[in-house]
């Protein structure tokens, strides 16, 4: 059996940043297992710019952002196996992986970092009646066809869902000569970043129809059109508002799902809201020595934040490995972080009282809020309060809790909430 | 092109009959209008092996159902098709329905269904712990089961080809002429001459019969809509769960599938004669399933739906509620195998034998082949192997080490096998039915484009010629600028 101090599953931005950070913290034998043919993950097909503004202070394309980490990796002796798929995580941190050169490998790891990313919600999850014609695909699949394979998957396009990939693809397909008829969004607000609405829709003259959805697909072989309808406050189509839109392609950008099949298989506790693992401030999961970061933990808006989160996990894994696999004494020393009134979820969900630095709590809100305060309380005590001009579900927020405050907490529970 | 027999329609009935006929020393061709076999009702049905208590006593349907149910395991073993003998329960929710169970029980006994039992609430709860509170009892039929219907069809097609039959896909029949003891079957890929015709055209069987002047039956499509759920819902149901039957069919059922998913459906909506291609799902149909399932297993929701789809039952209008399997009155060398709605899948092995015997009497001139290969080799399924077994396979061929479909764990080697098989896959959905690549919870979001690449490479065509399911179902247009 192969033996490594740290096995990182996934060689996208999360896995690369976590591995590099662990190395920087002194971990010796590290391997990254990546299922695709190259490192970089989804960044490889994101040829638009907008990456790195926070982390590098400059605007990079996806491949450029990935390249910086790939180059850093090359300077180390961190091993990388591409085209390699992890199929099982067995007890005692043994990983089973397969590829076409090594066959089936079993790897004993001291610590594991889960960085498998996320996938797009497919049509089946949408309850969308109609035909099964070709031409209905996720925005990310279309992005791969256009940017990697060099083929156009359609000419007359309707996009359902205003997630960032959908917005990016609205612009991309337009620039490639397709006619993007509209972007329909079920909610009364967009799920994407404001800058993407401006740059990808407004600048391209593509209408964004809010509170609107596709209620039927038409066409026997290739898609011929869709029926759209407005929805009421319960997101139900309003009879009489149906409208037929001719198109040969329907792109779906209706949400991302963290890919936690391995995580579940490993018996790790999952947060029903984030669909990612429940973690502590170093992103350690409920299984000692297994950490999670990036979109497999929670879906991020910006890769910059993925990088930051993954560095935290890399550092956490290093501490675990270098202390000889010592388990953080979880139960009694743990402060639970709760989400309440307007806050949908928080990451991390747990903080060790004996932690050694400030902790940033990341969260998303449930609706669009204006002039609202983000408040963190412990019992009756307010330990953080700041007013925000605007909060939206599409933009991840965070609050930093000072190390001193953590040590002084009167109870083993803190709550993040909104106050008008 | 001259043949002894033309079989029209490559559903489960057409392929199983073609396989049966490939035992004889003659030239047989199977014509299919779509790009693959199993493209009609055979890929969109309840995937159930019915025990045989539904059909009226004394009907051909009753006889072939019970025979088929007892033959299914044998055929699935021979042809390496997923099958599980899990048994079925017809669940009753009122005293009136409990009485219906007795009617079904008596009918089943007369049809020759073995080992049935009417069970009470307690036993039912023991067998199905998640059953809804209102359930009072059930009819237990241990010979019922589940089977992968499209894989049975594909396996029969492959085995028929191995035994010398020819399958012509993309060959829709638009005219048949009979002169001087010979049928001239006009297809989209040329005229086929043959001495005998077997009409297995499903919902189109009446149209095919009309071509030789046989207007003795008319078929309307009766649509059934379904949900297919993620394997994580599988923990809530152990058997095929029927509700009490009505005039329109057997009601909405809840069942595990042979691959461990959960299937909900079907609805029953009669369409008109011109809607034989209408397999669109409807919001009314999907809502009906959701409402109906709540009563059966309240925990099951469609929140984890992988997909929804619709299939068409070939329903004979004003018929005798029986299969039509007989030589046509218009031409005694033309056998109609029509009106094969439920339990057609269950009956398929028995129908194949029945038609084989009928053909043998009609055309005694054909001898049995000296060598008939009755089994189909088991395809390699990496996800079902232990790590040690997987390692062995990859050592011999590294392509089995490259996983293409993440959700189902399907490798490049398995996809290539599906393409290279007799009657191999030519499009994305054909690969999906043969390997399960794209059948998982991401619905091909990741692997679809890779499968497309592999198909283009193996078939040596540009990527934009690969379709989703044949004909005009293209996926890619031109190259980018």
């Amino acid at each position: 059996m192969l033996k490594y101090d740290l096995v990182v599953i996934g060689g996208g931005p999360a896995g690369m940043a976590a591995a590099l950070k662990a190395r920087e913290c002194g971990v010796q034998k590290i391997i990254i297992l990546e299922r695709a043919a190259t490192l970089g993950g989804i960044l490889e097909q994101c040829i638009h710019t907008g990456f790195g503004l926070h982390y590098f202070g400059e605007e990079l394309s996806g491949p450029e952002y990935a390249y910086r980490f790939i180059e850093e990796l090359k300077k180390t002796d961190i091993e990388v196996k591409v085209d390699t798929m992890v199929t099982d995580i067995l007890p005692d941190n043994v990983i089973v992986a397969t590829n076409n050169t090594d066959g089936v490998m079993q790897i004993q790891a001291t610590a594991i970092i889960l960085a498998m990313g996320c996938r797009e919600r497919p049509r089946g999850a949408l309850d969308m009646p109609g035909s099964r014609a070709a031409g209905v695909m996720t925005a990310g699949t279309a992005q791969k066809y256009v940017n990697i394979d060099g083929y156009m998957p359609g000419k007359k396009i309707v996009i359902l869902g205003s997630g960032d990939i959908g917005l990016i693809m609205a612009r991309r397909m337009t620039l490639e000569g397709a006619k993007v008829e509209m972007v329909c969004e079920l909610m009364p607000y967009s799920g994407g970043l404001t800058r993407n609405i401006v740059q990808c829709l407004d600048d391209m003259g593509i209408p964004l129809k809010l509170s609107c959805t596709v209620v039927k697909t038409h066409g026997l072989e290739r898609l011929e059109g869709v029926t759209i309808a407005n929805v009421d406050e319960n997101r139900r189509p309003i009879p009489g508002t149906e409208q037929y839109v001719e198109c040969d392609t329907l792109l779906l950008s209706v949400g991302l799902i963290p890919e936690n099949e391995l995580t579940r298989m490993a018996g790790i506790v999952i947060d029903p809201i984030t669909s990612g693992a429940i973690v502590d401030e170093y992103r350690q999961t409920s299984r000692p020595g297994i950490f999670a970061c990036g979109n497999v933990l929670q879906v991020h808006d910006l890769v910059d934040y993925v990088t930051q989160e993954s560095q935290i996990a890399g550092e956490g894994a290093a501490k675990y490995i270098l202390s000889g696999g010592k388990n953080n004494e979880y139960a009694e020393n743990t402060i639970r972080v709760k989400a309440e009134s307007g806050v949908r979820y928080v990451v991390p969900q747990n903080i060790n009282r004996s932690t050694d630095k400030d902790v940033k709590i990341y969260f998303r809100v449930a609706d669009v809020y204006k002039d609202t305060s983000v408040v963190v309380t412990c019992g009756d005590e307010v330990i953080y309060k700041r007013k925000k001009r605007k909060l939206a579900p599409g933009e991840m927020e965070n609050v930093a809790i000072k190390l001193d405050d953590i040590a002084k907490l009167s109870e083993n529970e803190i709550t993040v909430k909104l106050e008008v | 092109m001259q043949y002894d027999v033309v079989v029209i329609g490559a559903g489960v009935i057409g392929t199983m009959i073609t396989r049966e006929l490939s035992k004889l020393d003659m030239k047989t061709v199977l014509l299919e209008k779509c790009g693959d076999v199993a493209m009609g009702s055979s890929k969109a049905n309840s995937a159930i092996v019915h025990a045989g208590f539904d059909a009226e006593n004394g009907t051909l349907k009753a006889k072939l159902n019970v025979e088929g149910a007892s033959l299914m395991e044998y055929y699935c073993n021979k042809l390496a098709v997923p099958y599980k003998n899990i048994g079925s329960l017809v669940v009753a929710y009122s005293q009136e329905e409990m009485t219906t169970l007795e009617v079904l029980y008596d009918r089943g006994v007369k049809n020759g269904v073995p080992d049935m039992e009417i069970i009470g609430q307690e036993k039912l709860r023991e067998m199905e712990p998640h059953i809804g509170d209102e359930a009072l009892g059930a009819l237990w039929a241990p010979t019922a089961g589940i089977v992968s219907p499209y894989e049975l069809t594909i396996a029969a097609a492959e085995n028929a080809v191995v035994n010398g039959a020819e399958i012509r896909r993309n060959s829709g029949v638009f005219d048949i002429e009979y002169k001087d003891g010979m049928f001239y079957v006009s297809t989209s890929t040329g005229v086929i001459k043959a001495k005998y015709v077997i009409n297995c055209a499903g919902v189109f069987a009446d149209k095919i019969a009309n071509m030789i002047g046989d207007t003795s039956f008319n078929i309307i499509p009766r649509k059934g809509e379904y949900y297919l759920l993620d394997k994580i819902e599988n923990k809530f149901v152990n058997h095929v769960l029927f509700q009490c039957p009505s005039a329109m069919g057997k009601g909405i059922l809840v069942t595990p599938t042979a691959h461990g998913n959960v299937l909900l459906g079907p609805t029953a909506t009669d369409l008109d004669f011109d809607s034989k291609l209408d397999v669109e799902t409807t919001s009314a149909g999907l809502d009906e399933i959701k409402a109906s399932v709540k009563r059966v297993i309240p925990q099951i929701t469609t929140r984890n739906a992988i997909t929804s789809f619709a299939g068409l039952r070939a329903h004979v209008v004003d018929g005798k509620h029986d299969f039509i399997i007989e030589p046509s009155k218009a031409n005694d060398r033309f056998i109609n195998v029509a009106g094969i709605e439920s339990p057609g899948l269950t009956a398929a092995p028995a129908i194949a034998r029945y038609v084989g015997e009928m053909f043998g009497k009609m055309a005694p001139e054909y001898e049995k082949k000296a060598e008939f290969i009755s089994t189909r080799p088991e395809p390699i399924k990496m996800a079902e192997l232990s790590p040690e077994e997987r390692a062995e396979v990859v050592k011999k061929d590294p392509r089995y080490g490259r996983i293409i479909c993440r959700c189902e764990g399907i490798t490049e080697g398995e996809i290539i096998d599906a393409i290279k098989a007799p009657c191999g896959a030519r499009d994305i959905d054909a690969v999906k039915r043969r390997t399960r690549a794209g059948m998982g919870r991401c619905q091909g979001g990741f692997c679809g484009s890779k499968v497309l690449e592999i198909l283009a490479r193996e078939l040596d065509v540009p990527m934009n010629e690969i379709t989703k399911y044949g004909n005009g179902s293209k996926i890619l247009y031109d190259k980018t600028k």
Side-chain angles (χ1 to χ4, degrees), chain A residues 100 127 132 152 220 261, chain B residues 227 290 308 441 469 477:
Chain A
N100 57 8
D127 247 358
R132 290 290 163 279
M152 284 296 278
L220 206 52
E261 274 68 22
Chain B
Y227 272 106
K290 280 187 275 197
S308 53
R441 51 184 68 111
Y469 49 82
Y477 289 73

Side-chain angles (χ1 to χ4, degrees), chain B residues 5 13 17 20-21 24 26 60 63-64 67 196-200 323-329 331-338 340 349-366 368:
Chain B
V5 181
I13 302 300
I17 288 174
E20 188 67 24
L21 296 179
L24 299 176
M26 59 178 189
L60 189 57
K63 170 182 144 63
L64 295 173
E67 274 178 34
Y196 300 93
V197 173
I198 300 178
N199 172 17
C200 311
F323 295 152
I324 299 170
I325 307 178
E326 60 197 15
S328 168
K329 303 277 185 310
N331 189 319
D332 60 8
R333 291 177 164 213
F334 184 105
I335 299 176
N336 283 312
V337 187
I340 314 295
I351 290 173
R353 285 194 177 184
Y354 186 77
V355 172
E357 280 163 27
M358 186 183 288
F359 181 79
K361 283 181 200 146
M362 181 191 286
E365 64 268 33
Y366 300 110
K368 277 213 153 106

